[in-house]
């Protein structure tokens, strides 16, 4: 019987053998994984627990919050605030940063998360997930929102947990991408994939086609050429997927390739895009790059973007390298 490698063993070996993760970061990742297990249990209860539907409150984004959005946020805060590995946290569901209370020791890391991404899918039983990103707190006393405003290349760990037919934690600490599937009997995440690789080419694109009339010309050109299939300049037929849950769409791309686009559109021209840079695009872009893919905002590498606001939005094109490069080239030619 092949030895099952738990997340704990994987992280210990990453710490001991590859020196990739100091003890405090290993502790942080184990705590986040445990929090994701608890969120998974709440998600799986569905209508059997009092967790469905709207919380009748709005988040900082002006979006209606689901009960599970708030539950997931609280689970992550409570799980992480006492361990001594964090200085502060930031969440899609909170306007400002959450500084670790004085009653607990302060650590050297900053944790950012979208506690439950794709929550519009909760009530219709479609996969959703938690996305997280870890930064090192800059030198100096105290911690402020400014400390979080680091480019995605500064991340020391990033990942997500997708709550679907399986609960799967996907993680990078800068040494490739590993996937861990939750063994509910054991209650532990077991390594099921490592050194994940995305094919450079694909025949599958993911975009919300209902927004077509609002797109910029380069996006219209790229998608139109995909739709022309073998009769068009791409000389191959494409398939389309859109789960409207970034975690699920990205998980598919990490599992079999593809390209995901959530571009700027003229519905809200003042916003660069719908998705958030710090706790959606940055962690997902690092995972994609660590698996051999690419991620840009149409103009530049997402991980190079210097953020100016905590809840900054960004246009996202990510996935199979050759497709991302083509769509980005169309933007730069325009
Ligand atoms: P639309 C979920 O609300 C989310 O932030 C991402 O997970 C997802 O990719 C996107 O928005 C879906 O947006 O406009 O298709 O509903």
């Amino acid at each position: 019987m092949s030895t099952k490698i738990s997340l704990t063993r994987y992280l210990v070996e990453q710490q001991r053998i590859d020196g990739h993760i100091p003890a405090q970061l290993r502790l942080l990742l184990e705590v986040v994984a445990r929090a994701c297990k608890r969120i998974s249990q709440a998600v799986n209860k569905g209508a059997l627990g009092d967790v469905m539907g709207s919380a009748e409150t709005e988040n900082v984004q002006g979006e209606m919050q689901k009960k599970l959005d708030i539950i997931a946020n609280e689970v992550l805060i409570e799980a992480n605030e006492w361990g001594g590995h964090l200085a502060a946290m930031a969440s899609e569901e909170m306007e400002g940063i959450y500084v670790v209370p004085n009653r607990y020791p302060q650590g050297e890391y900053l944790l950012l998360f979208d506690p439950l991404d794709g929550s519009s899918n909760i009530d219709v039983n479609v996969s959703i997930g938690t996305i997280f990103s870890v930064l090192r707190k800059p030198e100096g006393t105290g911690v402020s929102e400014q400390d979080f405003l680091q480019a995605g290349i500064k991340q020391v760990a990033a990942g997500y947990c997708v709550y679907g037919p399986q609960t799967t934690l996907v993680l990078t600490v800068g040494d490739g991408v590993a996937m861990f599937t939750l063994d509910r009997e054991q209650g532990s995440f077991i390594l099921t994939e490592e050194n994940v690789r995305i094919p450079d080419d694909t025949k599958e694109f993911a975009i919300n086609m209902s927004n077509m009339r609002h797109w910029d010309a380069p996006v219209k050109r790229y998608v139109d050429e995909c739709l022309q299939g073998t009769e068009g300049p791409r000389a191959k037929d494409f398939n389309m997927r859109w789960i409207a849950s970034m975690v699920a769409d990205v998980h598919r791309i990490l599992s079999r390739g593809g390209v995901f686009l959530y571009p700027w559109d003229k519905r809200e021209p003042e916003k660069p895009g719908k998705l958030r840079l710090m706790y959606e695009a940055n962690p997902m872009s690092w995972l994609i790059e660590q698996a051999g893919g690419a991620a840009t905002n149409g103009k530049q590498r997402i991980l190079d973007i210097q953020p100016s606001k905590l809840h900054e939005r960004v246009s996202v094109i990510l996935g199979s390298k050759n497709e991302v490069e083509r769509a980005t080239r169309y933007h730069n030619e325009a």
Side-chain angles (χ1 to χ4, degrees):
M1 180 183 81
S2 63
T3 310
K4 287 188 174 182
I5 296 181
S6 68
L7 174 66
T8 300
R9 176 174 167 183
Y10 176 87
L11 293 174
V12 164
E13 289 177 351
Q14 281 284 326
Q15 176 190 347
R16 184 179 62 225
I17 299 168
D18 306 346
H20 259 276
I21 46 173
Q24 285 295 338
L25 180 57
R26 178 165 69 82
L27 170 63
L28 193 172
L29 294 172
E30 295 225 57
V31 169
V32 168
R34 208 170 301 135
C36 289
K37 266 196 287 188
R38 285 183 54 199
I39 294 168
S40 173
Q41 285 161 351
V43 167
N44 288 166
K45 277 201 175 18
L48 297 175
D50 180 23
V51 296
M52 302 291 269
S54 170
E56 309 302 330
T57 51
E58 269 193 9
N59 65 14
V60 64
Q61 327 287 344
E63 296 163 340
M64 284 309 288
Q65 290 178 304
K66 300 284 189 182
K67 287 178 189 167
L68 272 171
D69 282 326
I70 294 174
I71 292 168
N73 193 63
E74 287 167 357
V75 165
L76 282 158
I77 297 281
E78 288 161 18
N80 280 287
E81 64 179 347
W82 50 267
H85 48 276
L86 283 181
M89 294 178 247
S91 165
E92 179 185 275
E93 302 303 330
M94 301 186 300
E95 177 140 17
I97 64 169
Y98 179 88
V99 178
V100 168
N102 290 333
R103 63 181 179 280
Y104 300 123
Q106 292 256 325
E108 60 179 299
Y109 295 106
L110 304 174
L111 176 65
L112 304 92
F113 45 83
D114 179 355
L116 206 56
D117 177 71
S119 47
S120 60
N121 284 317
I122 293 173
D123 299 340
V124 294
N125 200 14
V126 169
S127 299
I128 50 183
T130 298
I131 310 172
F132 61 91
S133 170
V134 184
L135 296 167
R136 203 181 294 284
K137 184 181 91 68
E139 292 300 318
T141 53
V143 60
S144 69
E145 186 166 309
Q146 191 62 34
D147 293 326
F148 282 78
L149 302 184
Q150 303 178 39
I153 48 172
K154 297 286 192 183
Q155 292 176 100
V156 293
Y160 62 82
C161 192
V162 54
Y163 312 116
Q166 304 97 42
T167 287
T168 302
L169 182 79
V170 180
L171 174 68
T172 186
V173 292
D175 187 27
V177 175
M179 297 187 173
F180 303 83
T181 302
L182 181 62
D183 176 339
R184 291 193 187 283
E185 283 117 48
Q186 298 286 332
S188 51
F189 282 103
I190 302 298
L191 181 67
T192 45
E193 192 80 40
E194 59 179 331
N195 303 319
V196 172
R197 301 306 296 168
I198 299 174
D200 291 348
D201 294 297
T202 182
K203 294 182 176 178
E204 197 159 67
F205 68 93
I207 193 166
N208 182 338
M209 292 294 286
S210 69
N211 299 328
M212 183 183 279
R213 65 186 183 285
H214 305 304
W215 297 334
D216 225 353
V219 175
K220 284 181 180 168
R221 175 185 173 192
Y222 175 77
V223 172
D224 188 49
E225 288 180 357
C226 290
L227 295 174
Q228 289 178 47
T230 49
E231 291 90 59
R234 303 302 310 276
K236 63 180 181 180
D237 290 331
F238 280 77
N239 190 29
M240 195 214 94
R241 286 285 181 274
W242 187 249
I243 308 177
S245 180
M246 186 185 197
V247 172
D249 281 315
V250 168
H251 192 72
R252 185 191 59 253
I253 289 169
L254 282 170
S255 303
R256 68 184 193 209
V259 60
F260 170 99
L261 304 95
Y262 210 115
W264 170 94
D265 69 51
K266 52 180 185 260
R267 289 176 296 169
E268 295 182 285
E270 74 289 351
K271 287 181 183 173
K274 170 176 184 182
L275 302 178
R276 273 62 74 165
L277 174 63
M278 298 301 294
Y279 39 78
E280 288 176 335
N282 274 344
M284 291 311 207
S285 298
W286 197 28
L287 286 164
I288 291 289
E289 286 197 5
Q290 280 288 310
T296 75
N297 65 355
K299 300 283 186 198
Q300 70 176 108
R301 186 180 177 223
I302 284 178
L303 294 182
D304 289 337
I305 297 174
Q306 177 55 47
S308 54
K309 290 185 294 184
L310 189 60
H311 299 291
E312 179 167 328
R313 294 172 187 263
V314 67
S315 175
V316 177
I317 305 172
L318 61 74
S320 292
K321 188 163 56 173
N322 292 342
E323 292 304 316
V324 173
E325 284 171 0
R326 175 185 290 267
T328 303
R329 185 170 71 248
Y330 290 178
H331 280 77
N332 291 323
E333 286 170 359

